[in-house]
PDB file of all heavy atoms in Angstrom:
ATOM      1  N   ALA A 284     152.097 164.956  57.428  1.00 40.00           N
ATOM      2  CA  ALA A 284     150.971 164.748  58.332  1.00 40.00           C
ATOM      3  C   ALA A 284     151.367 163.660  59.307  1.00 40.00           C
ATOM      4  O   ALA A 284     152.140 162.777  58.968  1.00 40.00           O
ATOM      5  CB  ALA A 284     149.725 164.312  57.549  1.00 40.00           C
ATOM      6  N   PRO A 285     150.805 163.710  60.519  1.00 40.00           N
ATOM      7  CA  PRO A 285     151.188 162.692  61.491  1.00 40.00           C
ATOM      8  C   PRO A 285     150.816 161.315  61.004  1.00 40.00           C
ATOM      9  O   PRO A 285     149.704 161.086  60.557  1.00 40.00           O
ATOM     10  CB  PRO A 285     150.365 163.082  62.732  1.00 40.00           C
ATOM     11  CG  PRO A 285     149.274 163.948  62.217  1.00 40.00           C
ATOM     12  CD  PRO A 285     149.824 164.627  61.003  1.00 40.00           C
ATOM     13  N   PRO A 287     149.724 157.643  61.492  1.00 39.00           N
ATOM     14  CA  PRO A 287     149.067 156.921  62.569  1.00 39.00           C
ATOM     15  C   PRO A 287     149.895 155.730  63.026  1.00 39.00           C
ATOM     16  O   PRO A 287     150.670 155.173  62.269  1.00 39.00           O
ATOM     17  CB  PRO A 287     147.741 156.477  61.924  1.00 39.00           C
ATOM     18  CG  PRO A 287     148.023 156.480  60.482  1.00 39.00           C
ATOM     19  CD  PRO A 287     149.050 157.538  60.243  1.00 39.00           C
ATOM     20  N   ASN A 407     141.630 169.353  56.411  1.00 97.00           N
ATOM     21  CA  ASN A 407     142.403 168.214  56.891  1.00 97.00           C
ATOM     22  C   ASN A 407     141.438 167.122  57.338  1.00 97.00           C
ATOM     23  O   ASN A 407     140.802 167.252  58.392  1.00 97.00           O
ATOM     24  CB  ASN A 407     143.291 168.636  58.065  1.00 97.00           C
ATOM     25  CG  ASN A 407     144.113 167.482  58.616  1.00 97.00           C
ATOM     26  OD1 ASN A 407     144.097 166.375  58.070  1.00 97.00           O
ATOM     27  ND2 ASN A 407     144.818 167.730  59.698  1.00 97.00           N
ATOM     28  N   PRO A 408     141.297 166.025  56.577  1.00 97.00           N
ATOM     29  CA  PRO A 408     140.322 164.992  56.947  1.00 97.00           C
ATOM     30  C   PRO A 408     140.709 164.207  58.193  1.00 97.00           C
ATOM     31  O   PRO A 408     139.894 163.453  58.714  1.00 97.00           O
ATOM     32  CB  PRO A 408     140.282 164.086  55.717  1.00 97.00           C
ATOM     33  CG  PRO A 408     141.621 164.269  55.077  1.00 97.00           C
ATOM     34  CD  PRO A 408     142.005 165.702  55.335  1.00 97.00           C
ATOM     35  N   GLU A 409     141.933 164.371  58.672  1.00 96.00           N
ATOM     36  CA  GLU A 409     142.355 163.687  59.893  1.00 96.00           C
ATOM     37  C   GLU A 409     142.322 164.613  61.103  1.00 96.00           C
ATOM     38  O   GLU A 409     142.797 164.243  62.180  1.00 96.00           O
ATOM     39  CB  GLU A 409     143.764 163.120  59.708  1.00 96.00           C
ATOM     40  CG  GLU A 409     143.838 162.036  58.653  1.00 96.00           C
ATOM     41  CD  GLU A 409     145.210 161.398  58.592  1.00 96.00           C
ATOM     42  OE1 GLU A 409     145.536 160.619  59.508  1.00 96.00           O
ATOM     43  OE2 GLU A 409     145.952 161.679  57.640  1.00 96.00           O
ATOM     44  N   ALA A 410     141.748 165.801  60.953  1.00 96.00           N
ATOM     45  CA  ALA A 410     141.700 166.752  62.065  1.00 96.00           C
ATOM     46  C   ALA A 410     140.863 166.184  63.211  1.00 96.00           C
ATOM     47  O   ALA A 410     139.815 165.586  63.001  1.00 96.00           O
ATOM     48  CB  ALA A 410     141.108 168.077  61.595  1.00 96.00           C
ATOM     49  N   MET A 411     141.355 166.382  64.432  1.00 95.00           N
ATOM     50  CA  MET A 411     140.629 165.970  65.638  1.00 95.00           C
ATOM     51  C   MET A 411     140.720 167.107  66.653  1.00 95.00           C
ATOM     52  O   MET A 411     141.815 167.530  67.027  1.00 95.00           O
ATOM     53  CB  MET A 411     141.236 164.696  66.228  1.00 95.00           C
ATOM     54  CG  MET A 411     140.633 164.277  67.562  1.00 95.00           C
ATOM     55  SD  MET A 411     138.928 163.650  67.435  1.00 95.00           S
ATOM     56  CE  MET A 411     139.254 161.981  66.847  1.00 95.00           C
ATOM     57  N   GLY A 418     137.407 164.856  61.529  1.00 98.00           N
ATOM     58  CA  GLY A 418     137.235 164.853  60.088  1.00 98.00           C
ATOM     59  C   GLY A 418     137.193 166.230  59.461  1.00 98.00           C
ATOM     60  O   GLY A 418     137.256 167.258  60.128  1.00 98.00           O
ATOM     61  N   MET A 419     137.067 166.222  58.151  1.00 98.00           N
ATOM     62  CA  MET A 419     137.054 167.448  57.371  1.00 98.00           C
ATOM     63  C   MET A 419     135.885 168.355  57.757  1.00 98.00           C
ATOM     64  O   MET A 419     135.995 169.585  57.749  1.00 98.00           O
ATOM     65  CB  MET A 419     136.977 167.061  55.891  1.00 98.00           C
ATOM     66  CG  MET A 419     137.144 168.168  54.895  1.00 98.00           C
ATOM     67  SD  MET A 419     137.491 167.483  53.250  1.00 98.00           S
ATOM     68  CE  MET A 419     136.039 166.469  52.942  1.00 98.00           C
ATOM     69  N   ARG A 442     135.722 160.646  59.306  1.00 98.00           N
ATOM     70  CA  ARG A 442     136.890 161.044  58.514  1.00 98.00           C
ATOM     71  C   ARG A 442     136.776 160.600  57.060  1.00 98.00           C
ATOM     72  O   ARG A 442     137.630 160.950  56.248  1.00 98.00           O
ATOM     73  CB  ARG A 442     138.167 160.466  59.131  1.00 98.00           C
ATOM     74  CG  ARG A 442     138.418 160.888  60.559  1.00 98.00           C
ATOM     75  CD  ARG A 442     139.831 160.571  61.001  1.00 98.00           C
ATOM     76  NE  ARG A 442     140.158 159.169  60.890  1.00 98.00           N
ATOM     77  CZ  ARG A 442     140.116 158.291  61.882  1.00 98.00           C
ATOM     78  NH1 ARG A 442     139.735 158.686  63.080  1.00 98.00           N
ATOM     79  NH2 ARG A 442     140.445 157.034  61.702  1.00 98.00           N
ATOM     80  N   GLN A 563     146.558 157.357  52.841  1.00 97.00           N
ATOM     81  CA  GLN A 563     145.703 157.804  53.937  1.00 97.00           C
ATOM     82  C   GLN A 563     145.051 159.147  53.648  1.00 97.00           C
ATOM     83  O   GLN A 563     143.978 159.447  54.178  1.00 97.00           O
ATOM     84  CB  GLN A 563     146.507 157.891  55.230  1.00 97.00           C
ATOM     85  CG  GLN A 563     145.658 158.350  56.406  1.00 97.00           C
ATOM     86  CD  GLN A 563     146.024 157.656  57.691  1.00 97.00           C
ATOM     87  OE1 GLN A 563     146.827 156.735  57.702  1.00 97.00           O
ATOM     88  NE2 GLN A 563     145.436 158.096  58.774  1.00 97.00           N
ATOM     89  N   GLN A 564     145.656 159.976  52.814  1.00 97.00           N
ATOM     90  CA  GLN A 564     145.045 161.262  52.483  1.00 97.00           C
ATOM     91  C   GLN A 564     143.677 161.080  51.834  1.00 97.00           C
ATOM     92  O   GLN A 564     142.794 161.931  51.974  1.00 97.00           O
ATOM     93  CB  GLN A 564     145.970 162.040  51.550  1.00 97.00           C
ATOM     94  CG  GLN A 564     147.200 162.599  52.245  1.00 97.00           C
ATOM     95  CD  GLN A 564     148.252 163.076  51.269  1.00 97.00           C
ATOM     96  OE1 GLN A 564     148.109 162.892  50.045  1.00 97.00           O
ATOM     97  NE2 GLN A 564     149.299 163.686  51.776  1.00 97.00           N
ATOM     98  N   PRO A 567     141.279 158.334  55.020  1.00 98.00           N
ATOM     99  CA  PRO A 567     141.634 158.600  56.419  1.00 98.00           C
ATOM    100  C   PRO A 567     140.717 157.929  57.429  1.00 98.00           C
ATOM    101  O   PRO A 567     141.001 157.958  58.624  1.00 98.00           O
ATOM    102  CB  PRO A 567     141.527 160.125  56.506  1.00 98.00           C
ATOM    103  CG  PRO A 567     140.499 160.485  55.488  1.00 98.00           C
ATOM    104  CD  PRO A 567     140.709 159.523  54.350  1.00 98.00           C
TER     105      PRO A 567
END
Side-chain angles (χ1 to χ4, degrees):
N407 179 5
E409 295 186 74
M411 174 71 79
M419 188 164 59
R442 301 194 302 262
Q563 180 143 353
Q564 287 167 354

